[in-house]
Amino acid sequence: MLTFEEKQAIIDSFPTLTKKEVSLKRLNYHYADSLYEKTIVVEKLHPNGNGFVFVGDLLRYEKEANDKGLVNIRDYDEQQLREIIEDAIQYLSDEHEADEPIVENWKSREGTQLQLIFEQRSWNIYHGDNLEEAFGTYEAAKEYLLEEGFRLKK
């Protein structure tokens, strides 16, 4: 487990986050460029190492997040902490929804075709109009498609 000071140094390395002290020597880190009212990325980082990161409804964290969209980072290592903070900032900046949707066509040897579409912050696999699966990351969706015998259609 990272110490409070180590977590603080990692979080401080994100130049878009602003530190604010709260009660009981805890720290919050805000993302001022958030497109939403919610600006807190790291909430209640405590000297005992406990703290939370806001991930909203990102599918990648659905098993870890509480009903407020917060994930406890007490036992996170450096890589996990950096990834979740990057995901939180991405979530609050909502960059992908302003762009055109990302659509990929995948095909099996038998000729079955699926579409992989990035929408509403998740990677969804469709067979026709039917949603087959949803993933929190592109990598997880791609791995699933490859394991099921699908290849990206050129």
Side-chain angles (χ1 to χ4, degrees):
M1 181 176 86
L2 297 170
T3 66
F4 172 73
E5 291 78 15
E6 291 168 329
K7 286 179 183 169
Q8 192 176 355
I10 292 166
I11 299 165
D12 285 339
S13 74
F14 287 86
T16 58
L17 297 180
T18 305
K19 178 174 37 178
K20 295 193 178 177
E21 292 184 23
V22 290
S23 62
L24 304 173
K25 299 183 182 178
R26 295 176 299 178
L27 302 172
N28 285 349
Y29 286 83
H30 293 258
Y31 177 59
D33 294 331
S34 175
L35 297 179
Y36 304 94
E37 266 186 56
K38 179 73 172 176
T39 64
I40 299 175
V41 171
V42 179
E43 191 169 314
K44 299 175 185 155
L45 181 65
H46 193 277
N48 70 8
N50 205 22
F52 300 90
V53 172
F54 177 74
V55 295
D57 58 2
L58 284 174
L59 285 177
R60 179 176 182 181
Y61 300 100
E62 69 183 334
K63 291 180 182 168
E64 297 174 75
N66 66 19
D67 59 348
K68 295 180 182 178
L70 297 169
V71 173
N72 190 310
I73 57 167
R74 180 180 186 88
D75 297 323
Y76 271 41
D77 64 25
E78 180 176 356
Q79 180 181 346
Q80 292 171 312
L81 183 57
R82 287 188 184 283
E83 285 177 10
I84 197 169
I85 291 171
E86 288 169 3
D87 290 342
I89 291 169
Q90 175 79 28
Y91 182 84
L92 293 173
S93 64
D94 207 19
E95 293 172 5
H96 289 288
E97 290 194 1
D99 300 334
E100 290 294 314
I102 299 169
V103 178
E104 291 182 353
N105 294 304
W106 290 71
K107 188 175 182 178
S108 71
R109 286 191 175 146
E110 296 79 29
T112 303
Q113 295 189 39
L114 299 176
Q115 280 195 320
L116 176 60
I117 303 174
F118 182 77
E119 56 189 359
Q120 298 176 352
R121 297 187 181 98
S122 66
W123 291 93
N124 299 321
I125 298 174
Y126 289 92
H127 181 257
D129 292 334
N130 297 320
L131 176 65
E132 295 292 321
E133 293 285 339
F135 297 90
T137 65
Y138 176 79
E139 291 75 24
K142 180 180 173 184
E143 181 179 329
Y144 170 82
L145 287 164
L146 292 172
E147 285 176 2
E148 294 296 318
F150 286 84
R151 298 294 176 254
L152 184 58
K153 196 172 158 185
K154 303 283 179 178

